[in-house]
Amino acid sequence: QNVFNMVVEVPRWTNAKMEIATKDPLNPIKQDVKKGKLRYVANVFPHKGYIWNYGAIPQTWEDPGHKDENTGCCGDNDPIDVCEIGSKVCSRGEVIKVKVLGTLALIDEGETDWKIIAINVEDPEADNYNDISDVRRMKPGYLEATVDWFRRYKVPDGKPENQFAFNGEFKDKDFAVNVIKSTHEHWKALIAKKTDGGEINCTNLTVSDSPFCCSQACAKATVDAAPPGRAANPIPPEVDKWFYYEKN
């Protein structure tokens, strides 16, 4: 079946660049930091924050040592990303079941960065979506907006537009599922220590034959050792700024 678990990192319409911290013990979700500042994605007209619930499929890994046969570029060293297109705005850290519909191959600074398009299986319209063509038919303009978002979201930071494999065309459900299966095989090699993951922290509680498997007591000690949570800093007013610029 083309149903997978998704960990929600960024709820729709929000800007904070939250992501699974692969180098930290037990891989918590943390806000990305660049040049000593918490990172927020810019609003590039006509978009406000992320235009889907954004997250990742656990137990996947885009291996930076593996050149993708479809894109000719190596992986970005992260779990595979998901853009969930349902009507509900999810909560950060929520784990939902999603139906995979297709994928977009972003080339981000020379790395392969697959974006899986999926819908929450509990969405009232989920039964109407079975492949990428259904998104084009039921939500006209959404796929084009998705390409536009990924192409330009780093431009306000002074970076060039992102590029895509396949001329920015979406691949269908079967292609997307095969990409997920491939990245799952890379993850299995990583968690079994058959591949060098570099700085990735593979400590886990559930893969019993993994050399990185730890006990509940060990995991609890890791969590207890973390610094206590504090009140969040106020969101800087510039996060709501809108950027306008000519498309190339």
Side-chain angles (χ1 to χ4, degrees):
Q1 294 183 2
N2 58 322
V3 174
F4 297 85
N5 287 317
M6 169 188 176
V7 178
V8 178
E9 297 166 312
V10 187
R12 190 168 62 238
W13 311 137
T14 64
N15 297 74
K17 184 74 174 75
M18 309 293 292
E19 54 191 24
I20 294 169
T22 57
K23 296 175 184 176
D24 290 11
L26 303 181
N27 308 141
I29 295 174
K30 293 171 63 175
Q31 190 165 356
D32 193 20
V33 175
K34 283 286 174 70
K35 298 180 181 177
K37 289 187 174 183
L38 293 173
R39 186 176 166 202
Y40 296 86
V41 299
N43 306 301
V44 181
F45 180 81
H47 311 300
K48 170 66 177 85
Y50 286 72
I51 62 174
W52 345 257
N53 294 300
Y54 190 71
I57 296 178
Q59 299 191 1
T60 60
W61 181 46
E62 297 193 64
D63 184 352
H66 172 77
K67 181 179 286 189
D68 189 282
E69 61 183 13
N70 295 292
T71 67
C73 297
C74 294
D76 72 346
N77 205 31
D78 280 324
I80 200 165
D81 297 318
V82 185
C83 302
E84 191 279 318
I85 66 168
S87 57
K88 174 188 173 184
V89 176
C90 294
S91 301
R92 183 174 299 117
E94 192 174 352
V95 179
I96 62 174
K97 290 187 184 302
V98 296
K99 183 194 293 188
V100 169
L101 304 172
T103 188
L104 176 69
L106 176 67
I107 306 300
D108 189 351
E109 299 181 29
E111 297 176 330
T112 302
D113 190 4
W114 292 102
K115 307 298 181 185
I116 299 295
I117 308 301
I119 189 167
N120 191 334
V121 297
E122 295 184 359
D123 190 271
E125 296 185 339
D127 288 346
N128 297 326
Y129 290 85
N130 296 293
D131 213 323
I132 198 70
S133 58
D134 296 320
V135 184
R136 192 169 282 108
R137 177 173 55 86
M138 303 277 291
K139 295 183 185 289
Y142 201 4
L143 295 180
E144 291 80 3
T146 295
V147 172
D148 183 64
W149 195 99
F150 281 117
R151 187 187 304 280
R152 302 192 292 150
Y153 80 104
K154 290 186 177 180
V155 171
D157 298 329
K159 294 186 176 181
E161 291 186 354
N162 277 322
Q163 303 300 311
F164 303 88
F166 316 117
N167 295 317
E169 295 177 5
F170 288 81
K171 293 296 185 179
D172 63 14
K173 172 195 69 177
D174 291 341
F175 189 103
V177 170
N178 283 333
V179 169
I180 294 168
K181 288 179 177 177
S182 173
T183 57
H184 177 59
E185 292 301 316
H186 293 150
W187 172 84
K188 286 200 292 188
L190 173 70
I191 210 76
K193 214 172 183 177
K194 293 178 180 176
T195 300
D196 181 11
E199 296 180 329
I200 292 180
N201 192 306
C202 296
T203 303
N204 67 88
L205 286 80
T206 56
V207 188
S208 58
D209 57 350
S210 166
F212 303 104
C213 193
C214 74
S215 65
Q216 289 280 353
C218 170
K220 184 177 186 304
T222 300
V223 174
D224 291 344
R230 297 179 299 182
N233 292 336
I235 296 176
E238 59 266 25
V239 171
D240 288 326
K241 181 179 178 180
W242 233 350
F243 291 86
Y244 293 77
Y245 80 101
E246 294 292 330
K247 296 182 183 179
N248 288 344

